[in-house]
Amino acid sequence: MFLLISKLLMPMATYLNNSRYLQVLRDAFMLAFPITMFGSIVVVIANLPFLDKFMSEGTLNAFKSSLGNAPSATMGIMSIFVVFGIGYYLSKSYNVEAVFGGAISLVSFLLLTPFLIEVEGMTEAVGNVLPLDRLGAKGMFLAMITGFLSGEIYRFVVQKNWTIKMPDGVPPAVAKSFSALVPALLTLTVFLLLNIGVTSLFNTNLHDVIFNVVQQPLVKLGNGLVPTLIAIFFVQLFWFFGLHGQVIVNSVMDPIWNTLSLENLNAYTTTGEVPNIISKQFVEIYTVGLGGSGSTLAVIVAILLFLKSKQLKQIGKLSLGPGIFNVNEPVIFGLPIVMNPLIMIPWIVAPLITVTVTYFAMSTGLVPPPTGVAVPWTVPMFISGMMATNSLAGGLLQLVNFLIILAVWFPFLKFIDRLNVKKEQEEAANQKDEAV
């Protein structure tokens, strides 16, 4: 049975794990991570729940206003970082000059962006301005599409040697600039003509087309409980067969989850409301944030507190320190979890239960959804829950999930413990007989 499932999964997992485009997309989002982390920290500081206790309303508003540029200049323009990152890393994967690939992708995206904004109460749109929403969540999918298309055109032209060659002795920076001139001209011309065609023939822009036709349907699909459970199921299943489930599944789902996170953050910083339950933080804080992939901190605690096997105790001691910071390879490969049929059921079922509990706790209003603030996945449980939701309830929900995971795993761990204790006793008896 396991061999059959493994044979079916391996080709798909190998393709996803080795896909050039998925690797580039993952790296592009990681490029934006430190920048968005700064914006997230500022948002947390500006919305600390106790500030109104020692600040007057006017002082508090002035304080928040003074920090307002930070989220807008980081998470508010995340599409810019993503499109540059895609162009950069895609060019790098083809061994062509990467920085020009990133710059050309960014300009290609801006060529498709309308430099005007509708203002309520005015009959005509204001021109020569960049709408911030089109550089953030609303433009995310167009940024990704543009990054890949412009990157492919750029590297195609370069690899065809349609470039200007400078003589020896010319400074490298100058030579590289002239080498990128023809690829840049051809690539940007394609996107300029594309924008002219869409705006002239259809009286719209590609931002609105992609947002309405592609992004909104995908985001709405990914915002549901069932698609999230399917994604978590495959994360666990891939890990069971020794494949990095997070890398494989997140490469596909991150564009949707990150877009939902940006929508949450934009709404939270302007209205204080959070429109989406499912987001990048929802998935990370309430699965990985409970001890790593599979939420195994409860497993480690159960081993140390309730089991008797010396081997399992040693694994628990080695795994506790990393597990607190959500690094759980020691327990995954030490227990082991990989290809262990005795563990398959709790390994897959426990995260599905806790994700469901978390979703309904947030949908019913018991716990606020994550605000979209980026929280490093290594932040320990309870602290990460409070940071993500800006609420004590977010941390308490993690503790509830911890107890649920403990309850699901406990019978299976006790069974494995009895087998290990029996084996250890037999080995001790054999060693005693040999000594006699």
Side-chain angles (χ1 to χ4, degrees):
M1 176 66 176
F2 294 129
L3 290 176
L4 177 61
I5 297 175
S6 181
K7 287 180 179 179
L8 293 173
L9 288 177
M10 280 299 292
M12 178 176 64
T14 301
Y15 170 76
L16 292 174
N17 196 45
N18 297 329
S19 169
R20 181 195 305 271
Y21 296 121
L22 292 180
Q23 289 178 1
V24 166
L25 190 61
R26 180 189 64 215
D27 292 342
F29 276 110
M30 289 309 298
L31 174 68
F33 178 74
I35 300 165
T36 57
M37 181 56 61
F38 171 77
S40 296
I41 293 171
V42 173
V43 171
V44 171
I45 293 172
N47 292 277
L48 290 172
F50 53 79
L51 290 179
D52 59 346
K53 304 298 181 184
F54 60 88
M55 284 188 183
S56 65
E57 184 177 349
T59 303
L60 181 58
N61 290 336
F63 174 70
K64 290 185 176 183
S65 177
S66 66
L67 299 178
N69 277 0
S72 297
T74 53
M75 293 170 288
I77 57 172
M78 188 172 174
S79 290
I80 287 181
F81 306 128
V82 170
V83 70
F84 179 87
I86 290 172
Y88 179 89
Y89 288 112
L90 185 61
S91 300
K92 189 176 181 180
S93 73
Y94 285 116
N95 296 315
V96 298
E97 194 63 39
V99 69
F100 288 107
I104 291 168
S105 293
L106 173 57
V107 177
S108 299
F109 175 67
L110 294 176
L111 283 172
L112 302 176
T113 303
F115 278 62
L116 51 86
I117 186 171
E118 302 286 343
V119 179
E120 189 176 350
M122 296 183 65
T123 56
E124 293 186 4
V126 178
N128 296 321
V129 293
L130 266 173
L132 198 61
D133 62 335
R134 298 191 187 276
L135 306 182
K138 194 173 182 181
M140 183 63 69
F141 274 67
L142 180 62
M144 291 187 291
I145 295 169
T146 304
F148 284 116
L149 287 178
S150 61
E152 285 291 350
I153 296 171
Y154 165 71
R155 71 90 189 168
F156 175 82
V157 177
V158 172
Q159 290 178 345
K160 288 292 183 180
N161 283 322
W162 299 345
T163 58
I164 298 174
K165 305 293 185 183
M166 300 298 290
D168 295 338
V170 174
V174 176
K176 289 177 181 178
S177 296
F178 273 91
S179 180
L181 181 58
V182 173
L185 289 174
L186 291 176
T187 304
L188 297 178
T189 298
V190 169
F191 283 90
L192 179 61
L193 293 175
L194 178 61
N195 185 62
I196 291 172
V198 172
T199 54
S200 301
L201 297 177
F202 302 102
N203 195 30
T204 184
N205 60 78
L206 271 175
H207 271 268
D208 291 339
V209 172
I210 297 299
F211 180 76
N212 294 322
V213 176
V214 179
Q215 182 166 325
Q216 270 195 322
L218 285 177
V219 168
K220 285 182 180 178
L221 178 65
N223 195 20
L225 175 61
V226 173
T228 306
L229 290 176
I230 292 172
I232 298 298
F233 171 81
F234 277 105
V235 168
Q236 299 304 106
L237 191 62
F238 283 134
W239 263 118
F240 180 80
F241 288 102
L243 303 166
H244 201 303
Q246 247 79 34
V247 169
I248 295 170
V249 174
N250 287 16
S251 296
V252 178
M253 296 301 297
D254 268 354
I256 295 173
W257 289 337
N258 278 311
T259 301
L260 291 166
S261 294
L262 285 175
E263 288 180 359
N264 282 354
L265 186 68
N266 291 339
Y268 181 71
T269 53
T270 54
T271 67
E273 302 294 327
V274 179
N276 306 307
I277 295 174
I278 304 296
S279 65
K280 179 69 172 176
Q281 288 72 40
F282 176 95
V283 175
E284 282 196 346
I285 299 302
Y286 292 97
T287 56
V288 179
L290 299 175
S293 300
S295 309
T296 52
L297 184 58
V299 177
I300 298 169
V301 171
I303 289 173
L304 293 174
L305 294 182
F306 303 114
L307 304 191
K308 300 177 181 178
S309 166
K310 294 179 181 178
Q311 178 187 347
L312 294 178
K313 289 281 190 185
Q314 188 64 28
I315 292 170
K317 292 175 182 177
L318 293 173
S319 303
L320 180 61
I324 291 173
F325 297 97
N326 304 318
V327 177
N328 67 340
E329 275 75 7
V331 71
I332 285 178
F333 297 105
L335 197 57
I337 289 171
V338 174
M339 295 297 288
N340 187 345
L342 298 176
I343 284 174
M344 185 177 188
I345 292 176
W347 173 250
I348 293 178
V349 170
L352 298 179
I353 294 175
T354 55
V355 166
T356 304
V357 169
T358 302
Y359 183 87
F360 282 108
M362 292 179 178
S363 64
T364 55
L366 292 175
V367 179
T371 60
V373 166
V375 179
W377 61 271
T378 51
V379 174
M381 180 184 69
F382 187 72
I383 298 173
S384 61
M386 289 193 296
M387 290 176 63
T389 61
N390 197 35
S391 167
L392 177 64
L396 294 175
L397 180 57
Q398 284 184 308
L399 297 180
V400 171
N401 287 342
F402 176 90
L403 296 175
I404 292 172
I405 295 165
L406 184 64
V408 172
W409 271 84
F410 190 75
F412 297 90
L413 290 173
K414 287 296 289 182
F415 179 75
I416 295 170
D417 186 49
R418 285 196 293 269
L419 293 179
N420 279 25
V421 169
K422 184 178 180 182
K423 183 180 178 181
E424 290 169 2
Q425 290 173 345
E426 290 174 352
E427 289 176 352
N430 291 335
Q431 290 176 358
K432 186 176 180 181
D433 292 339
E434 290 175 1
V436 173

